[in-house]
Amino acid sequence: MPSFPPFILASFRIVLSILVTMIGLLFVTFFIGRVMPIDPVLSVVGESASLETYNAAYKALGLDQPLFVQFFYFLVDVARGDFGVSLLTARPVSQDLIRVFPATVELATVGTVIGVVLGVPLGVIAAVKRDSWIDQIARVVALVGYSMPVFWIGLIGLLIFYGILGWIGGPGRLDIFYVDMIPSVTGMILVDSLIAGDMSIFWNAVSHIALPAGLLAYYSLAYISRMTRSFMLEQLSQEYITTARVKGLSEHAVVWRHALGNVKVPLVTVIALSYASLLEGSVLTETIFSWPGIGLYITTALLSADMSAVLGGTIVVGLVFVCLNILADLLYKYFDPRAQ
Amino acid sequence: MKPIRNLLLGATAIAIALTMTPAMAKTPDNMLVIANRIDDITTLDPAESFEFAGSDYSRNVYGKLVNFDPLNLPAGYQPDLATSWTVSGDGKTITFKMRPGVKFHSGNPVTAEDAVYSLQRAVKLNKTPAFILTQFGFSAENAEQTIKLIDEMTFSITTDNKYATSFVLNCLTSTIGGIVDKKTVMANEVKGDMGNSWLKTHSAGSGAYKLVSWKPSESLTLTANPEFYLGAPKMERVIVRHISESATQRLLLEKGDIDVARNLNPQDVAGASASSDIAIDSDLRGRLMYFSLNQKDKILSNPKVVMAFKYLADYKGMQNSFLKGQYTVHQAFLPKTYLGAIDDKPYSLNVAKAKALLAEAGYGDGFDVNIIVRKAQERIEIAQSLQNSFAKVGIKATLTVGTGKQTLSKYRSRDFQVYVGAWGPDYPDPNTNAATFAVNVDNSDAAKATGQLAWRNGWSIPEMSKATKAAVQEGDRDKRAAMYEAIQREHQKTSPFVEMFQKIEQTGRRSNVKNLNIGAAITAVSYWPVTK
């Protein structure tokens, strides 16, 4: 039996797990899409089409073929990098995804960064000062974050910060006269404007992303701070913490270096998952802020049975999950000396 | 606690940065920014487009042979890319003369060849709106013979029967009548699709505006055509942004970040109209609301009972309560602004009169009846209002609420008593509604004329059908209008349809925006006359 270096074997295992996950995901999405009581033909031709027009479109969509044949053809196309053409936008799905996904990435990344920067310290402090007023406030903040409906808090936020105070930009990614003024390189306006060196567009983009990203950050902050708190509580009751304290280490070093150092490992997984769930796109946030992201794209497509678009979007979201999982695994090894 | 201090510092820095961003400027003077729901656009090809936002686009990008003047809609169709037309003696052939000197956005001249190509193309592609043309007998097979080039600036179309010229020309004002640039479109043909897949996302017209970009469910950007034959439009750029929330549209309008909000709900209209910077326009649209009585039912087919029902709808009450700002009372089958539309409102809620009519018919104590209604808020509210007013004369009505598909299939199979429905016209000619409300030649179940509302209600009208068909052939526009007026007055008296409301649409605009015409019931929005 020929022996491969472990590095190749590991890569092979990763690729295989991605492939299996993706095919399973596509299989389920495809068949759910086909049994849904929505007629994709109607979204192409409209309600008042003649029977001839309807039948022509039915055939053109390949719906006269058996389901498994349709699925097979679909897989062949995907393997060739062809996700098909969206019924709703009349464009290749890959082109649509290149347009909508960066918008979501931008929003989710800013949201997650704020969520982590604020959420982790909040969780740590809440754990250290357990049952103090600061812990109570952290708890209320988190609970409110969990339970407030985004469409409400989003609209109120717009009303106050945009409508009354005028501190931030309104819905959309940019003010209307800045739209299309810089070349799209990454599709993320914050990055593109820096590349183009146009600071006025950058600051305009910041003023537009502040509120929606702030809202997403609030939700991930709520989750991350709760998880950090419980991880920290677990660590702080360990014997090595007592030992460290007995050895005369400062409380600061005990909490932030020793306890938090050990919390890093599970925390990475929590943050990765929370980031991944933001990358799926948030339909309500995207609707209220007219943010053309992937959540809205997939949902609209699903409601009109635009299966090419739904499946294309699913592939992207699936890949994101798989990749973030792998990344979390790698970071795990990096942070945990035992796993190296 | 160092981290906390750093955090506070960071947060303050962000807050200061945000406050320091420049104050929101108003939209530029040469730019019109509109908030609208544009996620119904799935194609920009005029031969395929059949949705509201798509018609808005096409009206501004594509010239047509004849078109409506946005500042004078009641005048009916006017010469556009065709300057004149003559009709042959048998009324079947119309010969068009094209307007000289007009250019497409590409710089190519607009010729008869482009017009012939555009119409043949629409017929051959046979997409959803193709019926608007094929109802005149054009088909993929005969298109070459029936739509014929005569010389560079002249061509003719020949229909299968004699039709009123106004009928044919009205249909040519709809989106499918858009004239495309043959050379540009054919240069982008793929696998014999006559440029369909290219034109879905590009423009090749001669209208006031050309397409800059269409980002689905995000924005549609147009730029003015400086060589537009009616003069360069004042608004050099028009941006339609997809904003689906009414409350968000209102905020943007109040801040002056948009000039026009197309989808304000009644609450937001009421809120926004308080500002002196904002004006609210109410425009009539084509959609009608009615209820109808199945004439296969023994009681409901009694003419006195039918008449009684017409006095049993609280028209004004509904208009002024839950339909406020969305529907206005209208009691005829042609929407106002259509050729031949009438504004007569002979009926109002009159319980005493209804009671007397029922007593004459022998139903003084009332009876039981079932109303089927689709699960949509305004329709259910209408049905409940009817239920209340029916109860005042002892008619006990039960409601059956179903999905659109369920109620429609009952309606189409004539398996109902009372139906609460809505009807929207398909093209800008009176025949679109007359052919369904006022034609039913064979009332047998076997006829299965499910496309005709009169048949669905089991209403046999040989005489009125004849009158409607005669109106389709009347060559004189004014005479034809008079014929429809007469048919509607008769229809008001005898039909089992109780027409109640016509849709109105409220548009919020900054008060400096002038001459914005939404298109009423017959056409779409026009950007070229707009000034700020």
Side-chain angles (χ1 to χ4, degrees):
Chain A
M1 198 178 134
S3 67
F4 293 103
F7 142 79
I8 293 194
L9 267 181
S11 320
F12 180 73
R13 219 175 288 138
I14 289 177
V15 171
L16 192 72
S17 83
I18 294 181
L19 271 182
V20 172
T21 315
M22 295 313 290
I23 291 180
L25 189 63
L26 288 179
F27 183 82
V28 172
T29 320
F30 187 89
F31 284 95
I32 289 180
R34 282 292 187 265
V35 297
M36 270 193 324
I38 304 176
D39 189 344
V41 184
L42 282 186
S43 52
V44 183
V45 299
E47 297 267 347
S48 44
S50 69
L51 195 64
E52 267 172 59
T53 310
Y54 181 94
N55 287 341
Y58 187 81
K59 247 189 138 159
L61 290 175
L63 294 172
D64 50 342
Q65 305 278 337
L67 266 188
F68 279 93
V69 177
Q70 291 179 36
F71 185 60
F72 175 74
Y73 281 134
F74 170 72
L75 282 187
V76 171
D77 284 344
V78 168
R80 279 191 274 143
D82 175 7
F83 293 160
V85 174
S86 159
L87 305 180
L88 289 180
T89 67
R91 283 175 191 151
V93 171
S94 46
Q95 229 181 70
D96 281 341
L97 291 172
I98 289 172
R99 187 172 56 86
V100 297
F101 192 53
T104 297
V105 172
E106 189 171 41
L107 194 58
T109 309
V110 176
T112 304
V113 168
I114 304 178
V116 171
V117 167
L118 298 180
V120 172
L122 194 65
V124 172
I125 296 164
V128 173
K129 310 253 168 179
R130 190 177 177 183
D131 295 332
S132 70
W133 60 271
I134 200 161
D135 185 25
Q136 303 296 353
I137 289 179
R139 179 174 296 134
V140 171
V141 166
L143 276 178
V144 170
Y146 273 137
S147 42
M148 205 109 81
V150 68
F151 58 86
W152 183 81
I153 196 171
L155 277 175
I156 294 294
L158 268 180
L159 183 68
I160 295 174
F161 295 109
Y162 165 68
I164 298 172
L165 298 174
W167 287 1
I168 59 162
R173 298 174 74 186
L174 279 176
D175 278 3
I176 201 81
F177 14 92
Y178 287 127
V179 171
D180 291 334
M181 279 193 15
I182 46 166
S184 173
V185 183
T186 60
M188 286 178 270
I189 293 176
L190 289 176
V191 180
D192 286 350
S193 58
L194 287 180
I195 293 176
D198 192 326
M199 290 316 285
S200 62
I201 293 191
F202 177 78
W203 284 113
N204 189 258
V206 169
S207 79
H208 279 267
I209 204 173
L211 188 58
L215 278 184
L216 292 186
Y218 190 19
Y219 286 80
S220 64
L221 175 153
Y223 177 58
I224 291 172
S225 70
R226 286 329 276 168
M227 295 308 281
T228 310
R229 181 180 178 274
S230 70
F231 291 149
M232 281 298 283
L233 282 179
E234 197 190 320
Q235 292 298 327
L236 288 173
S237 63
Q238 301 278 326
E239 282 178 359
Y240 75 91
I241 293 289
T242 321
T243 316
R245 282 186 179 138
V246 167
K247 270 166 58 185
L249 271 184
S250 74
E251 186 64 16
H252 186 267
V254 169
V255 172
W256 296 98
R257 223 171 41 234
H258 288 262
L260 187 62
N262 282 313
V263 165
K264 261 186 212 154
V265 177
L267 205 53
V268 161
T269 318
V270 165
I271 292 170
L273 281 180
S274 129
Y275 185 42
S277 72
L278 291 190
L279 282 175
E280 269 178 74
S282 152
V283 182
L284 287 175
T285 316
E286 286 170 9
T287 308
I288 289 165
F289 293 98
S290 299
W291 201 271
I294 197 167
L296 204 54
Y297 179 70
I298 298 183
T299 312
T300 325
L302 191 67
L303 292 178
S304 352
D306 183 357
M307 284 322 282
S308 305
V310 172
L311 290 163
T314 311
I315 293 176
V316 170
V317 173
L319 272 178
V320 162
F321 261 89
V322 174
C323 292
L324 280 174
N325 261 317
I326 292 171
L327 189 72
D329 276 353
L330 294 176
L331 283 175
Y332 216 98
K333 281 179 189 149
Y334 176 76
F335 284 133
D336 189 348
R338 285 167 304 180
Q340 269 167 3
Chain B
M1 288 273 125
K2 240 182 166 167
I4 288 211
R5 202 169 54 226
N6 291 346
L7 264 180
L8 286 176
L9 277 177
T12 324
I14 292 174
I16 291 172
L18 288 181
T19 349
M20 277 169 53
T21 44
M24 227 53 68
K26 299 276 172 265
T27 59
D29 287 343
N30 59 353
M31 194 192 267
L32 185 67
V33 184
I34 297 168
N36 194 8
R37 296 192 183 121
I38 57 164
D39 53 351
D40 62 344
I41 302 183
T42 57
T43 174
L44 297 180
D45 187 338
E48 187 174 23
S49 165
F50 200 53
E51 269 72 40
F52 286 115
S55 321
D56 286 342
Y57 160 83
S58 280
R59 177 154 167 81
N60 292 283
V61 170
Y62 290 97
K64 290 156 189 165
L65 294 170
V66 286
N67 217 337
F68 293 103
D69 176 358
L71 301 180
N72 189 9
L73 291 179
Y77 55 79
Q78 303 292 323
D80 188 17
L81 292 182
T83 47
S84 63
W85 48 89
T86 50
V87 183
S88 67
D90 64 359
K92 288 188 185 178
T93 301
I94 308 179
T95 307
F96 293 93
K97 263 251 169 288
M98 300 296 285
R99 184 180 298 277
V102 184
K103 281 188 180 136
F104 284 111
H105 302 150
S106 63
N108 297 333
V110 178
T111 63
E113 198 183 334
D114 297 295
V116 167
Y117 171 74
S118 303
L119 297 181
Q120 287 179 348
R121 179 176 179 275
V123 169
K124 285 182 189 165
L125 282 176
N126 200 16
K127 300 290 183 186
T128 306
F131 72 92
I132 297 172
L133 297 179
T134 53
Q135 64 181 338
F136 298 112
F138 305 122
S139 66
E141 291 75 37
N142 70 19
E144 308 278 341
Q145 292 85 50
T146 51
I147 304 169
K148 261 200 328 220
L149 185 67
I150 296 172
D151 62 41
E152 201 198 340
M153 296 308 265
T154 325
F155 78 101
S156 68
I157 58 175
T158 306
T159 52
D160 58 350
N161 284 304
K162 179 178 185 235
Y163 295 102
T165 314
S166 55
F167 180 20
V168 180
L169 295 185
N170 271 328
C171 286
L172 289 175
T173 65
S174 56
T175 300
I176 199 163
I179 304 301
V180 301
D181 181 347
K182 180 180 178 184
K183 281 203 191 89
T184 308
V185 172
M186 284 312 272
N188 291 288
E189 185 179 38
V190 185
K191 289 185 224 153
D193 71 346
M194 292 190 275
N196 176 236
S197 56
W198 182 80
L199 215 47
K200 276 181 186 209
T201 54
H202 294 82
S203 76
S206 60
Y209 287 88
K210 52 189 167 190
L211 178 71
V212 175
S213 77
W214 167 44
K215 298 180 189 162
S217 302
E218 190 179 337
S219 67
L220 184 71
T221 307
L222 307 175
T223 183
N225 168 17
E227 296 185 42
F228 182 46
Y229 82 94
L230 290 172
K234 294 273 184 313
M235 295 295 113
E236 285 168 25
R237 225 173 181 29
V238 174
I239 301 178
V240 186
R241 284 182 71 179
H242 176 69
I243 311 273
S244 51
E245 272 295 304
S246 163
T248 316
Q249 291 197 2
R250 177 183 156 192
L251 259 182
L252 285 162
L253 185 67
E254 286 174 340
K255 293 293 283 180
D257 281 347
I258 58 171
D259 298 307
V260 178
R262 295 282 307 267
N263 315 99
L264 296 179
N265 64 28
Q267 291 90 321
D268 286 320
V269 164
S273 58
S275 159
S276 59
D277 294 331
I278 293 172
I280 303 288
D281 296 331
S282 284
D283 289 273
L284 288 161
R285 297 303 252 177
R287 194 179 169 83
L288 303 177
M289 283 279 187
Y290 67 91
F291 72 91
S292 62
L293 312 166
N294 191 343
Q295 296 303 288
K296 295 182 76 182
D297 186 282
K298 195 177 135 279
I299 304 174
L300 298 180
S301 58
N302 183 314
K304 292 242 160 67
V305 173
V306 170
M307 190 52 97
F309 272 105
K310 302 198 177 199
Y311 288 104
L312 282 177
D314 188 5
Y315 305 92
K316 279 263 164 62
M318 288 190 260
Q319 175 193 266
N320 295 331
S321 55
F322 56 87
L323 295 179
K324 194 166 186 185
Q326 302 182 73
Y327 283 90
T328 178
V329 174
H330 182 67
Q331 298 181 343
F333 67 71
L334 285 181
K336 266 176 277 176
T337 72
Y338 263 66
L339 175 71
I342 56 172
D343 201 15
D344 305 17
K345 297 188 187 85
Y347 304 107
S348 57
L349 179 65
N350 188 337
V351 177
K353 193 151 187 178
K355 224 175 186 145
L357 282 162
L358 286 177
E360 279 176 48
Y363 299 103
D365 297 331
F367 46 85
D368 290 350
V369 78
N370 178 260
I371 303 176
I372 60 168
V373 57
R374 176 180 183 161
K375 195 172 174 182
Q377 197 194 349
E378 60 200 14
R379 294 197 206 191
I380 293 177
E381 280 174 319
I382 290 175
Q384 284 167 342
S385 168
L386 293 175
Q387 202 177 19
N388 281 336
S389 45
F390 292 177
K392 290 180 183 154
V393 293
I395 299 176
K396 280 192 273 311
T398 49
L399 295 189
T400 305
V401 180
T403 62
K405 220 176 189 169
Q406 289 164 343
T407 45
L408 199 59
S409 92
K410 279 191 179 168
Y411 194 28
R412 282 164 167 253
S413 58
R414 316 212 268 190
D415 172 24
F416 71 100
Q417 285 186 296
V418 178
Y419 177 82
V420 175
W423 181 262
D426 286 328
Y427 49 86
D429 185 82
N431 189 54
T432 185
N433 279 11
T436 189
F437 278 100
V439 173
N440 182 17
V441 212
D442 180 357
N443 195 34
S444 66
D445 283 347
K448 280 218 177 311
T450 54
Q452 287 162 1
L453 298 180
W455 181 87
R456 290 188 198 168
N457 286 283
W459 187 41
S460 182
I461 35 167
E463 287 305 311
M464 191 178 283
S465 303
K466 257 186 234 159
T468 308
K469 290 195 166 157
V472 165
Q473 300 198 330
E474 173 54 53
D476 184 283
R477 181 153 45 162
D478 295 335
K479 266 192 210 153
R480 185 163 176 242
M483 291 166 92
Y484 283 114
E485 288 169 14
I487 295 170
Q488 286 176 91
R489 293 205 168 95
E490 176 66 19
H491 197 267
Q492 278 181 328
K493 273 186 223 136
T494 58
S495 79
F497 294 95
V498 184
E499 285 107 6
M500 296 183 287
F501 304 106
Q502 180 173 354
K503 174 87 185 145
I504 45 181
E505 195 175 282
Q506 291 184 302
T507 305
R509 62 176 161 85
R510 300 292 297 182
S511 34
N512 63 334
V513 175
K514 301 275 187 291
N515 289 337
L516 177 73
N517 183 288
I518 299 299
I522 40 170
T523 183
V525 70
S526 315
Y527 303 135
W528 63 92
V530 173
T531 58
K532 283 217 280 199

